Amino acid sequence: MQNREFSDATYHDFCQFLEKNCGIVLGGSKQYLVRSRLFPFIEEFDMKDLTTVLQTAIRGSNRQLQSKVIDAMTTNETLWFRDNYPYELLAKEILPKLDALNKPITIWSAACSSGQEPYSIAICYKEYKEKYPNAFRHGFKITATDLSSEMLANCKEGSYDDHALARGMNKIRLDKYFHVNGKGKHQVNDDLKKLISFQPLNLMHSYQSLGKFDVVFCRNVLIYFSTDVKRKILQQIADRMTPDSILFLGASESVSFTENLFTMVKASPGLYYQVSQ
């Protein structure tokens, strides 16, 4: 269809706009992704074609459209207990160490998307508390952030369909931590929700307001950024960590370009990073 097409020049300008506003590097061959994610906005905002949608977003003349375009382009797929090993390490090795610190514990889930990661962390905590009821007497808090206001609203609602839950959520946990709501979806139970604070955050901006963290999950996020932006993000994350804090990255991500900012710790299974002493 003609109204789905846009010129190479418009695509180039849109790529520059996206990198400037949220750090994401699309590259030269992701036109199909732009078409699939932004095509619905032609009708929603009564635009002539996709070129008009892109150019309007770039100009910023329609703030609502611009915000929704950024939301759509920065929303990435996620699943429950992704890759499994970070959560296995959390349950078996990290939570006992954190409990022994005898202080309030804080965990950050950066770029939390639709909420599967922070809720998975919360389930690990709840399962640990079942085994050790006196654990974390000084408190345990998860902060989850994302650029997308739409995703954050979905996270706070905590409502998932069968398709979303089929990706990593087993029946035992589903029955224990969810209930079916009036819309026929699976709703996260309130005792799990209250462990998490969802906040808006653009990883291109300052993290100073977040405080310090004992564990940071920033998984499968850095792959979308340029090396310079990755370096800036990891430096800011390091500033939010104490010397003994733990950083989890995605399986295909590394800190090799950060000039010894972090030290890799090999675990069984998997690995994590700590700020270099």
Side-chain angles (χ1 to χ4, degrees):
M1 295 174 62
Q2 186 65 33
N3 62 353
R4 295 174 67 99
E5 300 305 317
F6 45 86
S7 68
D8 289 343
T10 297
Y11 178 69
H12 173 74
D13 290 344
F14 181 70
C15 288
Q16 287 190 320
F17 156 79
L18 205 60
E19 184 171 2
K20 179 182 177 182
N21 283 272
C22 51
I24 288 180
V25 178
L26 274 185
S29 58
K30 294 291 180 68
Q31 289 91 337
Y32 70 93
L33 189 64
V34 174
R35 291 189 188 96
S36 64
R37 293 194 176 185
L38 304 188
F39 180 73
F41 296 151
I42 296 175
E43 181 176 350
E44 182 176 344
F45 288 90
D46 194 24
M47 297 283 177
K48 177 184 176 184
D49 49 31
L50 198 50
T51 297
T52 307
V53 171
L54 298 180
Q55 291 176 344
T56 303
I58 293 167
R59 289 196 306 270
S61 53
N62 185 325
R63 292 294 183 182
Q64 184 186 8
L65 170 65
Q66 187 182 67
S67 177
K68 295 199 74 167
V69 163
I70 291 174
D71 278 2
M73 294 306 301
T74 56
T75 299
N76 300 301
E77 199 170 90
T78 185
L79 41 142
W80 303 92
F81 300 94
R82 186 169 187 170
D83 298 326
N84 196 50
Y85 78 84
Y87 304 97
E88 188 176 338
L89 278 175
L90 188 67
K92 294 182 178 180
E93 180 178 326
I94 296 169
L95 287 179
K97 289 181 179 178
L98 294 176
D99 188 24
L101 295 176
N102 204 31
K103 72 178 187 72
I105 298 302
T106 54
I107 294 183
W108 176 22
S109 170
C112 66
S113 189
S114 47
Q116 281 89 332
E117 181 174 88
Y119 283 126
S120 295
I121 296 168
I123 288 172
C124 287
Y125 166 77
K126 293 286 286 185
E127 291 175 342
Y128 187 85
K129 280 283 286 182
E130 282 191 9
K131 293 180 181 178
Y132 308 100
N134 294 323
F136 300 106
R137 290 175 297 170
H138 298 281
F140 186 96
K141 179 184 177 182
I142 302 164
T143 298
T145 64
D146 201 87
L147 171 66
S148 169
S149 56
E150 185 174 346
M151 282 294 103
L152 288 172
N154 292 340
C155 289
K156 291 175 183 178
E157 182 180 353
S159 177
Y160 300 91
D161 60 22
D162 290 335
H163 175 73
L165 285 159
R167 309 193 62 181
M169 179 59 64
N170 65 38
K171 189 176 187 310
I172 293 174
R173 284 169 167 162
L174 179 62
D175 292 343
K176 194 168 190 176
Y177 299 107
F178 296 78
H179 62 276
V180 178
N181 63 22
K183 299 177 181 178
K185 292 187 175 183
H186 298 276
Q187 185 85 42
V188 176
N189 291 342
D190 287 345
D191 61 338
L192 209 62
K193 276 188 178 184
K194 69 182 183 181
L195 294 169
I196 308 170
S197 171
F198 291 102
Q199 301 178 28
L201 181 74
N202 187 332
L203 288 174
M204 298 282 285
H205 299 163
S206 172
Y207 312 165
Q208 289 292 324
S209 63
L210 294 179
K212 294 278 189 177
F213 294 97
D214 300 294
V215 182
V216 177
F217 282 71
C218 186
R219 308 195 66 239
N220 307 293
V221 180
L222 298 178
I223 53 175
Y224 298 101
F225 300 123
S226 68
T227 299
D228 287 343
V229 173
K230 290 177 186 176
R231 188 179 293 113
K232 179 183 177 183
I233 288 172
L234 286 170
Q235 178 63 68
Q236 289 207 85
I237 287 175
D239 292 342
R240 298 295 93 213
M241 299 171 66
T242 59
D244 294 324
S245 295
I246 288 167
L247 169 65
F248 282 112
L249 297 180
S252 63
E253 297 169 325
S254 76
V255 297
S256 58
F257 48 84
T258 57
E259 300 171 355
N260 302 317
L261 183 62
F262 292 93
T263 300
M264 179 192 294
V265 179
K266 292 183 178 180
S268 181
L271 58 87
Y272 56 83
Y273 298 92
Q274 291 182 302
V275 177
S276 299
Q277 303 294 312

